Amino acid sequence: MDYTFNAIEAKWRQLWQERKTYQVTEDTTKPKFYVLDMFPYPSGAGLHVGHPLGYIASDIFARYKRLKGFNVLHPMGYDSFGLPAEQYAIQTGQHPAITTKENIARYRQQLDLMGFSFDWDREVRTSDPSYYKWTQWIFKQLFDAYYDLTLDKATPIAALISTFEKEGNLNVQAVHECQQHFDAPTWLAFSSAEKEAVLQQYRMAYLAESWVNWCPALGTVLANDEIVNGVSERGGHPVEQKRMMQWSMRIKAYAERLLEGLDRIDWTDALKEQQRNWIGKSKGSSVQFAVKDTDLQIEVFTTRPDTIFGVSFMVLAPEHPFVAQICAANQKEEVAAYQQQAALKTERDRQADVKNITGAFTGAYALHPFTGQEIPIWIGDYVLASYGTGAVMAVPCGDQRDYDFATHFNLPIPNIFADKDISEAAYAEKDAVIANSDFLNGLDAKAAMEKAIAAIEAKGIGQGKTNYRLRDAVFSRQRYWGEPFPVYYQDGLPQLVADDLLPVTLPDVDAYLPTEDGEPPLARAAKEAWSCQLGERMEYNTMPGWAGSSWYFLRYMDPHNQETFADPQKLAYWNQVDLYIGGSEHATGHLLYARFWTKALYDLGFIHFDEPFAKLINQGMILGKSAIAYVGPDQKMYSLDMLPANKEGFREVRILIDLLNDDESIQLDALKAWQPQYANQEFVCNAEGKVLVKREVDKMSKRWYNVVTPDDLCEKYGADTLRMYEMFLGPLEQSKPWDTKGITGVHGFLKKYWRLFHLNGQFEVNDAQPSPAALKTLHKTIKKLTDDLERFSFNTGVSSFMICVNELTEQKCNNRHILEQLTILMAPYAPHICEEIWSQLQPEASSIFTAEYPVFDPSYLAESTFDYPVSFNGKMRYKATLDLSLSIEEVQAHILEKPETQKWLEGKTPKKVIVVHGKIVNIVL
RNA sequence: GCGGAUGUGGUGAAAUUGGUAGACACGCCAGACUUAGGAUCUGGUGCCGAGAGGUGUGCGGGUUCGAGUCCCUCCAUCCGCACCA
C-alpha cells in the first residue's frame, strides 16, 4: 500500500475541522500553555515557504504540549489594517475591506493546507469593527490616564483632576510637559479649554504639537520605528521633520520599567539589547547656563558633568526656541540663513552629511556657572532638537564631535585631562585624571562626576538626571485604512465618544486620498457616513498599524465578548503568552508597544501581568535563491560557462526560478513563453547545449522572481514532508537560503516510516513483546526528542526520527507497542500521516492528540560495557570494550596491558594516564 | 563609530556540562533490480597519501591530560543603532 499523502492529508484536514479537534476552552483541571505566533498582515502576494517556518515550529510545540497534558491556547488571526491595501484602493478605487477579505481567504487556504492546529473559532481581525471597538476602548482608557510618579504607575486622570482641585499642580509628581504652575483656585478659575490644555500635558494618550517625521510622498506622519535609514520603511520615501499637532502615546513614562522588565523575560540577548539600545538610557546631569545680558537660562543635558571646566563653547540645535532671542544683530542674517538651510535638509540628508561640519555663531555668550567665563553660543545641526534639551555644552577635549566643531571653526580646545594628549583627537575614555578644573582637580572621572553634580545641585543650576533616547510615540496617521479614533471635537477640544457608541466605524469615502485642504481621507466622509456624529466634527486621523497588534494576544482569550475586551476570569486563566514566535524585525516596534500597552493595562487593573510574552523566539528568515542570467552586448543570453573573461557590456537579468531544470540550466521554451521580451531570445549554449545560470541569495520576493510557495510543495510531497523539511533545514533562529533539493530526503524518510507498517503490502503490526533492541531505540528517541523540543531544537529532532526509523527498519521491527509510541512522538511534526496510522492502530480513538506522550525509561538504555576511546596526547587511536563495572584503576590496568597501547607507547613510559569513567582514556607521553 | 550574532566537508548542518569532530540529510561515486523511474535497495564519500600514517572546526596565540567548545589579538560576513551630548 502506497503512502498516498494527498488523500490522507485532505481527509484529516476535513475531519479535524468537522470534529473541532483543536477547539479549546478554559479547563482548570489542566495546566495551561499559551503558544502564540505573530499574526500576519494578509498581503496580496500570499504566503511563500518562509512565512510558515515559525508557524510550523509553534504548531509542533503546541501539539507537543497538548500531548503532554497541557491545555494549549494556540490561536491565529490577521493584522488586517495597513498600507498596501490602502494603496491598492487608491489605484483601483476598490474598498480596502474587499481586498483584505480576499487576501485573508487566500491566507486561510494556505494555512489550512499546512495542517496547523489553530483554534479558528478564536480568529481575530484587527480591521473588524467588533475587534477595533476594543482598540478604541483601550485608547479611551489611556486618554483618561496619566503617569503618577509617586505610585510609579498609570493612574486614572480623575485622581489628578481631584488633586488639581484641592491643591493645584504644585506638589504633583507625574510625567508631564506642563510648564505652568498653579494652585487650586487658579485651576478652578481656568476655562474648560484651559483645563483641557493642561490635562493634555499629562494624559497617556494626548494631542500635542511636536516634532514628527513627516513623509510627503505617503502624506502621513510616521513613528521612529517606521523609518529605516532615514526613509520610510514602506516605499522608501524621504522623511522630514515637521512640527505638527498629533496624537501621541506617553511611552517615555515607561522607559525605566520597559528596561527593568527585560530582566524578567526569556528573550534573546540580541533582542533585549536592541530594545535597551532603542530606549537609550544615559545618566548625567542637567546644567543651566545663563545667557549674558539676558534673563535666559540655557539648559543642557550632559553625561559628563565631570568635564564642565572643559566647556569652551555651546551649541544649540538650529530649531532651539532661544535662537531668535539671543542672536546678535550683526549675526542675524547668517543665523537665519543657516536655520533655513538646516530646515530644508531631510533627516536623511543630515545623517548622510555627518562629516560635513556646519554651524553659525549667534554672537551671544553664556556665562560659565563656576568660572563666570564668557562662552560663545553657536548653532549647529549636529545638535538635535528632539534629544535632551536641544542644546549642548561643548567639551572639545572630551568629545570628538565637539572637537571637530572646534577645529573647524577655530574655537579653543582647553585640556582638562592630566597626561592625555589631545593634539590629534578628543580623549573620550572615562579613565583620565581631571586637571585645570578648580575643585575637581586630581579626581578620577567617577569621583569628579559625583562632586560636580553635588556642586551643580548646591548652586541650584541643575541636578543629576537620567535621559532616554526613547521618544513618545506618534499615534495618529493621515490614512484611511486604520482604526478611527473614538474622539470628536467640541469647542475645538477633543472629547471621547461614549462607550455605548463604540465602535466608531470607518465611514465610506469617495476617494482614499487627502482632501484638497490637506485633511486626512476621513474628512471626505459625508456626515451620515459616520456611525455617530458628535460635536463640530469627528477626529479625521486614524490609528497607526501598531494599535491593533499591541493587544491582540489578549483578545484571543475571549474573542467574542461583547461586554468587555476579555473576561477577567479568562484573562486570569490564560495569563501571559508562554511562547511567542516571530520575526526580529518587530524588535523596536510591535514588541515594544505591546509591552507598553500591557503595562498600562496592568497599572489600570485590567490584567494581572505586566509583561506580555514570557518567552520569545525569533525565527530566522528564509532567503530565496535568485537565478541570474547574463545578456551580452549582442543581446544574446550566455550560459554561465560561456562567458568571456571580460564581461564588459554584459548585464545581469533575474529570471523566474520555476524556469530552471535541476542542473540549473534554463528551460529555453519556457523562458520564451514567460515574458514577451524573451519571445525571440537567442542563446549562447555550452557544449551540452545548455544555458546555465548563476544562483544568488536574496530576500524571497516576487520582484526577484525567486519565490517558492508552500502550495506547490504540499501538492508534490505533502504538508507533513514540507513541515518536517522546513524544520530539518537548520536551527529555527538561523537565516538560511531555501533549497528544495533536500526535500526528497525527508519525503523518503516518511515513506520509510510508512513502510514499517506496510511490510507486506497492507497495514500490519504484531502484538508480541518488543525486543530489547527496539525498546532501546525507542527510549533513546523519546529522550532525545523531549530534550530537543524543550530547547526548541527542531532540526535535530527530525534527525532523531530518521535515526530511529533507520534502526527499526534494520531490526525489521513491526511491533505494535514500539510503533505506537513512535507515532505519538512524531505526531506533532507530521500530524496527518501519524493521525492516519493512529486510526489504524487505535480505530476507536477520535484523534492521536488525545493520546498520552511516551515516558522515557532509562533502564532500557542501561549498558554493561563501554567502548572506551583510547587517546594518546589527546588523539584518539583505538577503542577498547570494557565492562562498566570496572573501577577507574582497573580500567587503567586493562588499557595499559592492551597490545594497541604498547604499540602506541613505542617503549616509552606514560607520564600520566587519565581515565574518565564511561567517557574516555587519555595517555600522556 | 557603538552594540549583537555567526564563521565546521562540495551543500544544509550535528557535536546539550571542555572528553571519539562531521551525526542526520542533500549531492557525488560504484553497484543491484529494472522493457528509463524524479522508484527502491547495497556500499563508499573531510582533505593529503598506494599504504602506514599525517592533517583538519576563519587566522594567530594562550589555559588544559584533552579545546569546535574557555581566554586574548586579529580577519571576514550578517543584523541592529547611529551626529543621542
Side-chain angles (χ1 to χ4, degrees):
Chain A
M1 207 184 139
D2 283 344
Y3 168 38
T4 52
F5 50 88
N6 282 325
I8 292 169
E9 292 181 359
K11 169 183 160 189
W12 286 104
R13 271 203 304 276
Q14 195 185 347
L15 284 175
W16 287 332
Q17 202 160 14
E18 280 171 20
R19 297 176 182 174
K20 291 200 178 288
T21 306
Y22 304 120
Q23 196 175 49
V24 64
T25 52
E26 296 70 40
D27 176 354
T28 49
T29 65
K30 284 184 185 172
K32 70 94 193 183
F33 201 87
Y34 188 175
V35 182
L36 182 67
D37 293 293
M38 288 186 185
F39 63 166
Y41 173 79
S43 82
L47 295 172
H48 62 63
V49 287
H51 293 113
L53 182 73
Y55 302 158
I56 296 169
S58 65
D59 192 63
I60 290 170
F61 203 77
R63 288 174 184 273
Y64 162 71
K65 278 286 177 184
R66 200 164 295 169
L67 285 166
K68 278 277 203 178
F70 286 83
N71 193 30
V72 179
L73 179 57
H74 186 43
M76 183 47 89
Y78 304 96
D79 188 14
S80 48
F81 272 134
L83 220 44
E86 175 157 352
Q87 295 203 305
Y88 188 73
I90 292 169
Q91 287 160 23
T92 64
Q94 171 158 277
H95 196 287
I98 297 171
T99 318
T100 302
K101 204 177 157 193
E102 287 170 2
N103 291 349
I104 286 177
R106 167 103 178 99
Y107 263 62
R108 176 63 190 273
Q109 197 188 5
Q110 288 188 295
L111 290 171
D112 280 347
L113 215 50
M114 302 288 300
F116 294 130
S117 62
F118 299 123
D119 178 359
W120 283 106
D121 291 345
R122 292 176 181 265
E123 177 192 314
V124 302
R125 301 180 183 188
T126 55
S127 62
D128 196 308
S130 69
Y131 179 87
Y132 68 67
K133 171 180 178 176
W134 299 106
T135 310
Q136 292 174 345
W137 180 85
I138 293 172
F139 172 85
K140 288 184 62 180
Q141 310 311 307
L142 294 168
F143 181 89
D144 271 339
Y146 76 107
Y147 200 91
D148 189 309
L149 284 168
T150 340
L151 304 171
D152 196 25
K153 66 176 198 173
T155 307
I157 198 103
L160 184 69
I161 295 170
S162 122
T163 306
F164 286 172
E165 285 165 356
K166 283 187 220 123
E167 53 188 66
N169 73 347
L170 303 171
N171 296 315
V172 169
Q173 296 289 311
V175 179
H176 66 91
E177 266 140 37
C178 186
Q179 304 290 328
Q180 266 176 296
H181 300 285
F182 52 82
D183 55 15
T186 317
W187 168 259
L188 293 168
F190 280 161
S191 69
S192 54
E194 285 168 326
K195 281 182 180 162
E196 186 52 42
V198 169
L199 288 174
Q200 286 292 340
Q201 292 169 328
Y202 288 84
R203 296 183 186 279
M204 293 298 305
Y206 63 97
L207 194 56
E209 186 169 88
S210 55
W211 289 105
V212 295
N213 309 301
W214 173 255
C215 179
L218 294 174
T220 186
V221 302
L222 296 170
N224 285 345
D225 66 278
E226 292 168 321
I227 299 164
V228 178
N229 296 328
V231 296
S232 69
E233 188 187 17
R234 291 259 180 211
H237 306 292
V239 173
E240 55 196 50
Q241 297 300 296
K242 202 170 166 184
R243 214 160 157 81
M244 284 177 79
M245 190 62 99
Q246 292 293 322
W247 286 99
S248 290
M249 286 282 168
R250 215 175 290 285
I251 189 173
K252 263 179 99 162
Y254 282 94
E256 192 58 43
R257 283 172 63 190
L258 287 167
L259 278 177
E260 173 274 325
L262 290 173
D263 299 333
R264 292 183 282 120
I265 51 183
D266 185 6
W267 295 13
T268 59
D269 289 340
L271 200 76
K272 288 185 182 181
E273 264 323 293
Q274 262 185 68
Q275 289 213 342
R276 287 196 189 102
N277 202 327
W278 189 261
I279 295 167
K281 180 178 184 172
S282 49
K283 282 186 188 166
S285 173
S286 64
V287 191
Q288 287 182 3
F289 287 74
V291 182
K292 191 187 163 202
D293 302 329
T294 71
D295 297 335
L296 296 173
Q297 300 275 337
I298 297 175
E299 186 179 329
V300 302
F301 172 75
T302 176
T303 54
R304 297 294 303 275
D306 54 315
T307 63
I308 190 153
F309 287 94
V311 175
S312 60
F313 58 100
M314 297 186 79
V315 185
L316 308 186
E319 303 90 349
H320 197 284
F322 285 5
V323 175
Q325 299 173 56
I326 63 172
C327 192
N330 59 346
Q331 292 292 327
K332 277 227 152 71
E333 208 171 308
E334 190 189 334
V335 165
Y338 184 75
Q339 280 181 311
Q340 201 172 7
Q341 172 216 322
L344 282 175
K345 278 200 226 171
T346 65
E347 192 87 324
R348 186 184 174 79
D349 294 339
R350 256 164 101 152
Q351 280 174 14
D353 243 8
V354 173
K355 293 211 175 71
N356 194 3
I357 295 158
T358 62
F361 180 45
T362 63
Y365 291 87
L367 300 172
H368 192 283
F370 293 108
T371 66
Q373 200 186 339
E374 292 188 3
I375 305 166
I377 303 173
W378 287 65
I379 63 173
D381 68 4
Y382 82 93
V383 177
L384 305 175
S386 51
Y387 180 76
T389 61
V392 300
M393 60 175 224
V395 182
C397 67
D399 182 287
Q400 193 56 44
R401 291 153 305 159
D402 295 348
Y403 188 97
D404 294 341
F405 195 85
T407 311
H408 188 262
F409 290 109
N410 224 351
L411 295 161
I413 306 178
N415 191 353
I416 53 152
F417 301 121
D419 309 323
K420 296 293 175 195
D421 175 28
I422 55 153
S423 58
E424 296 294 327
Y427 188 80
E429 303 296 318
K430 288 187 187 171
D431 57 4
V433 174
I434 306 292
N436 305 324
S437 295
D438 195 352
F439 57 89
L440 300 177
N441 283 341
L443 297 176
D444 62 29
K446 190 167 176 281
M449 198 93 71
E450 284 166 19
K451 200 162 178 185
I453 293 176
I456 288 163
E457 289 181 349
K459 259 186 140 317
I461 51 162
Q463 54 194 322
K465 198 179 166 185
T466 303
N467 220 2
Y468 300 92
R469 200 185 75 99
L470 181 72
R471 300 180 206 165
D472 280 352
V474 186
F475 194 68
S476 39
R477 299 288 182 276
Q478 292 68 49
R479 313 295 313 186
Y480 176 75
W481 192 231
E483 299 87 346
F485 280 77
V487 169
Y488 64 96
Y489 291 87
Q490 182 79 55
D491 302 324
L493 297 176
Q495 306 284 337
L496 292 179
V497 173
D499 282 356
D500 56 7
L501 290 175
L502 299 185
V504 176
T505 56
L506 201 51
D508 282 333
V509 292
D510 56 357
Y512 304 98
L513 289 167
T515 65
E516 279 167 21
D517 315 335
E519 292 271 21
L522 291 197
R524 293 173 173 274
K527 271 212 159 202
E528 52 278 11
W530 289 88
S531 61
C532 66
Q533 259 294 338
L534 303 164
E536 296 119 24
R537 66 172 183 92
M538 299 298 287
E539 170 66 61
Y540 295 145
N541 286 300
T542 52
M543 298 188 197
W546 56 268
S549 60
S550 292
W551 74 281
Y552 74 109
F553 49 94
L554 299 174
R555 187 65 177 172
Y556 282 139
M557 299 179 191
D558 191 11
H560 308 295
N561 199 316
Q562 312 256 326
E563 310 304 320
T564 169
F565 70 94
D567 180 83
Q569 284 191 339
K570 292 181 178 175
L571 286 164
Y573 177 79
W574 293 113
N575 206 266
Q576 276 175 307
V577 173
D578 296 285
L579 175 64
Y580 195 24
I581 296 185
S584 59
E585 67 272 21
H586 298 106
T588 50
H590 160 63
L591 287 172
L592 200 60
Y593 296 129
R595 294 183 62 217
F596 161 46
W597 276 32
T598 301
K599 284 176 192 297
L601 289 171
Y602 168 80
D603 287 354
L604 296 171
F606 296 115
I607 52 178
H608 302 288
F609 47 92
D610 75 336
E611 282 293 342
F613 316 122
K615 180 172 177 68
L616 179 117
I617 297 178
N618 293 125
Q619 90 271 24
M621 206 193 308
I622 291 202
L623 303 163
K625 269 180 151 179
S626 310
I628 296 176
Y630 289 89
V631 176
D634 53 4
Q635 299 309 317
K636 288 181 182 166
M637 190 175 280
Y638 283 65
S639 179
L640 189 62
D641 46 0
M642 296 303 284
L643 285 176
N646 175 12
K647 283 188 289 214
E648 205 175 310
F650 278 76
R651 61 195 165 88
E652 297 188 341
V653 294
R654 281 181 166 73
I655 65 165
L656 189 66
I657 54 167
D658 300 350
L659 308 177
L660 298 183
N661 296 306
D662 281 352
D663 61 0
E664 318 236 304
S665 65
I666 303 174
Q667 298 168 11
L668 303 181
D669 292 336
L671 178 74
K672 287 181 177 181
W674 176 47
Q675 283 185 348
Q677 55 183 311
Y678 297 116
N680 298 308
Q681 181 69 48
E682 290 182 65
F683 302 95
V684 177
C685 303
N686 66 11
E688 292 155 17
K690 291 181 170 170
V691 179
L692 302 178
V693 297
K694 188 173 83 172
R695 300 303 291 267
E696 203 166 80
V697 174
D698 289 310
K699 222 173 144 167
M700 193 174 279
S701 157
K702 261 187 167 174
R703 64 186 288 228
W704 303 126
Y705 304 118
N706 61 6
V707 172
V708 181
T709 68
D711 312 49
D712 297 347
L713 293 167
C714 280
E715 173 67 28
K716 203 162 168 186
Y717 301 101
D720 286 336
T721 296
L722 180 58
R723 288 168 63 106
M724 285 195 117
Y725 182 57
E726 291 217 9
M727 291 298 100
F728 189 57
L729 229 39
L732 181 61
E733 293 96 326
Q734 226 167 75
S735 287
K736 50 233 156 188
W738 178 264
D739 188 342
T740 307
K741 276 183 190 153
I743 201 168
T744 54
V746 175
H747 190 61
F749 153 74
L750 282 177
K751 284 200 257 187
K752 204 164 174 178
Y753 162 75
W754 181 262
R755 240 178 283 133
L756 285 174
F757 301 87
H758 300 89
L759 288 174
N760 303 313
Q762 57 180 341
F763 188 88
E764 193 181 302
V765 288
N766 73 66
D767 291 295
Q769 276 294 318
S771 72
L775 282 167
K776 187 176 166 188
T777 295
L778 174 68
H779 282 268
K780 196 174 70 183
T781 307
I782 297 173
K783 168 133 179 61
K784 181 81 168 85
L785 248 296
T786 313
D787 289 354
D788 284 350
L789 277 173
E790 294 294 344
R791 64 193 176 102
F792 306 100
S793 178
F794 300 97
N795 54 327
T796 53
V798 177
S799 307
S800 308
F801 287 127
M802 291 174 170
I803 294 167
C804 180
V805 169
N806 288 345
E807 286 182 11
L808 293 179
T809 303
E810 192 142 327
Q811 295 162 17
K812 301 204 168 19
C813 174
N814 183 234
N815 180 268
R816 172 182 288 273
H817 172 74
I818 301 289
L819 295 181
E820 276 187 357
Q821 298 272 292
L822 169 63
T823 301
I824 300 171
L825 285 177
M826 242 172 72
Y829 284 82
H832 308 89
I833 188 174
C834 292
E835 189 77 282
E836 174 65 22
I837 294 281
W838 195 252
S839 70
Q840 304 277 338
L841 289 166
Q842 303 276 349
E844 72 288 353
S846 65
S847 168
I848 190 169
F849 295 100
T850 59
E852 260 177 63
Y853 201 77
V855 178
F856 169 60
D857 182 346
S859 66
Y860 293 116
L861 302 193
E863 294 277 3
S864 56
T865 62
F866 180 73
D867 283 354
Y868 277 94
V870 181
S871 40
F872 292 78
N873 286 341
K875 286 193 177 102
M876 208 279 282
R877 295 304 184 183
Y878 75 95
K879 283 185 191 172
T881 306
L882 292 177
D883 206 291
L884 269 171
S885 63
L886 295 180
S887 71
I888 285 179
E889 290 74 21
E890 289 167 326
V891 170
Q892 178 167 341
H894 273 91
I895 293 293
L896 286 176
E897 281 168 13
K898 294 268 178 191
E900 292 97 327
T901 303
Q902 293 309 315
K903 178 190 153 202
W904 283 99
L905 279 175
E906 294 170 331
K908 288 177 221 157
T909 315
K911 283 196 189 118
K912 202 171 174 185
V913 178
I914 290 167
V915 177
V916 182
H917 193 260
K919 273 259 165 75
I920 198 166
V921 178
N922 190 19
I923 295 168
V924 187
L925 295 177

